[in-house]
Amino acid sequence: MLSVQGVHKSFGSIRAVRGVSFEVRPGQVVGLLGPNGAGKTTTIRMITGFLPPDDGRVMIGELDVSRDSGEARARIGYLPESAPHYPEMKVREFIAHRAALFGVERRERKKAVEAAMDRCQVGTVASRRVGVLSKGFKQRVGLAAAIVHGPSVLVLDEPTNGLDPTQVREARSLIRDLAKDRTLLFSSHVLSEVERVCDRVVMIAGGEMRADGTPSELVERTSLTPLHVVECARSPDPMPILRKVDGVSEARLEPVSDEGWVRVRITPRAGQRDLRESISVAARGAGLAVRELTIERPSLERLFAELIERPGTLGGGA
């Protein structure tokens, strides 16, 4: 199990990470989600032993990553955002080299290399040089190198960054498979990736924890009001009509591809849940054509945006 306990890290006057705490259990995929500059990579570097925390600690099972560095790091597989490769090495040779660095015994090395290549589906390129591989295959080779020593914890930093849509789908499937027999932490700033791959989400911004829970739990705990989405004619001007509707707090105009039509997102006032009837009556009275009127329930994407801008969105539940 991975346990991050109140870690802090500063670089001069910049407080990059401030009191981040969470745990990841075996067989669980936890997504560390945050915008660029949120403190994700710094947190990961403390977890993997590349940076010591200024305060707090990271535990791999019973081992303190700072105090028991060598033994703890031997239990971690790490794929950084820019996966390190030796482009002139052949795939099998590179993974064997990493196995040796991790201390895999010589008599076990060939078996470990073949198992890692098979798990990450890179056997078909085993004799090719790493430098000539596609981005997707390089990521797979990086994953094979990260698991060749049989780590109990696997840490992936932006593993789908730069991949095309097909490669992203393949990477998602591989990540889920790799989590079956180990603890897996997966960082990203792309919410859709975290939603599709992870069992639990840890949101951080400005170096601080903002939320921790399953995607459905976080959305259920939110205090966000459902938005109303109105697709209507451009003429007459819909904004003054819709802003006058009783219970409307805010109305935001968005263009649509169809000429002559616009989309308006309406935020109800606190305590107002369903304004559809009032909106319909106001539009009909003003001669405004409406072709779609729906309620948009709170989503993880909207919650994430709100948490970054307004940290109290989950109230005391985070």
Side-chain angles (χ1 to χ4, degrees), residues 138-274:
K138 284 179 180 176
Q139 286 292 85
R140 287 178 175 273
V141 170
L143 280 168
I147 67 169
V148 69
H149 59 302
S152 57
V153 175
L154 184 58
V155 180
L156 311 178
D157 192 3
E158 304 279 2
T160 61
N161 192 29
L163 301 184
D164 65 35
T166 299
Q167 293 168 340
V168 167
R169 286 194 299 272
E170 292 171 349
R172 284 185 204 137
S173 176
L174 179 55
I175 289 167
R176 293 297 314 182
D177 180 65
L178 291 173
K180 290 177 181 176
D181 50 6
R182 56 177 54 84
T183 298
L184 199 150
L185 179 69
F186 160 46
S187 94
S188 180
H189 65 279
V190 181
L191 187 140
S192 59
E193 290 308 304
V194 172
E195 253 186 318
R196 288 183 173 92
V197 174
C198 300
D199 305 309
R200 207 173 96 234
V201 179
V202 173
M203 294 185 182
I204 65 172
E208 297 179 325
M209 286 270 298
R210 297 288 172 87
D212 181 1
T214 68
S216 59
E217 285 172 349
L218 295 181
V219 171
E220 285 171 7
R221 291 208 306 256
T222 182
S223 59
L224 294 175
T225 303
L227 295 177
H228 290 59
V229 182
V230 185
E231 202 163 289
C232 56
R234 288 180 182 274
S235 180
D237 185 353
M239 299 308 286
I241 299 168
L242 297 175
R243 282 174 174 155
K244 288 180 182 177
V245 174
D246 187 39
V248 170
S249 172
E250 180 185 355
R252 189 175 73 251
L253 185 67
E254 296 179 354
V256 294
S257 57
D258 288 1
E259 187 176 345
W261 296 88
V262 294
R263 183 179 293 114
V264 182
R265 291 187 184 275
I266 293 174
T267 304
R269 293 197 191 106
Q272 300 286 335
R273 307 300 291 182
D274 192 341

Side-chain angles (χ1 to χ4, degrees), residues 72-144:
R73 290 172 72 172
R75 298 188 185 184
I76 301 171
Y78 175 39
L79 181 67
E81 183 177 356
S82 299
H85 296 107
Y86 293 105
E88 72 281 2
M89 278 187 167
K90 294 180 179 179
V91 169
R92 183 180 279 108
E93 179 187 11
F94 170 68
I95 298 171
H97 170 68
R98 288 289 297 271
L101 290 177
F102 279 121
V104 178
E105 294 185 13
R106 184 181 295 274
R107 65 177 180 272
E108 298 292 334
R109 204 171 296 162
K110 182 177 179 181
K111 181 180 177 181
V113 169
E114 294 300 324
M117 289 198 303
D118 181 63
R119 191 78 182 270
C120 296
Q121 300 171 26
V122 293
T124 57
V125 295
S127 300
R128 297 182 65 185
R129 297 191 186 280
V130 176
V132 303
L133 299 178
S134 68
K135 173 75 172 177
F137 265 116
K138 284 179 180 176
Q139 286 292 85
R140 287 178 175 273
V141 170
L143 280 168

Side-chain angles (χ1 to χ4, degrees), residues 294-312:
T294 58
I295 291 181
E296 185 179 276
R297 303 295 175 186
S299 65
L300 193 60
E301 181 176 5
R302 185 175 161 214
L303 171 62
F304 177 57
E306 292 285 338
L307 282 170
I308 300 310
E309 296 171 12
R310 294 192 284 274

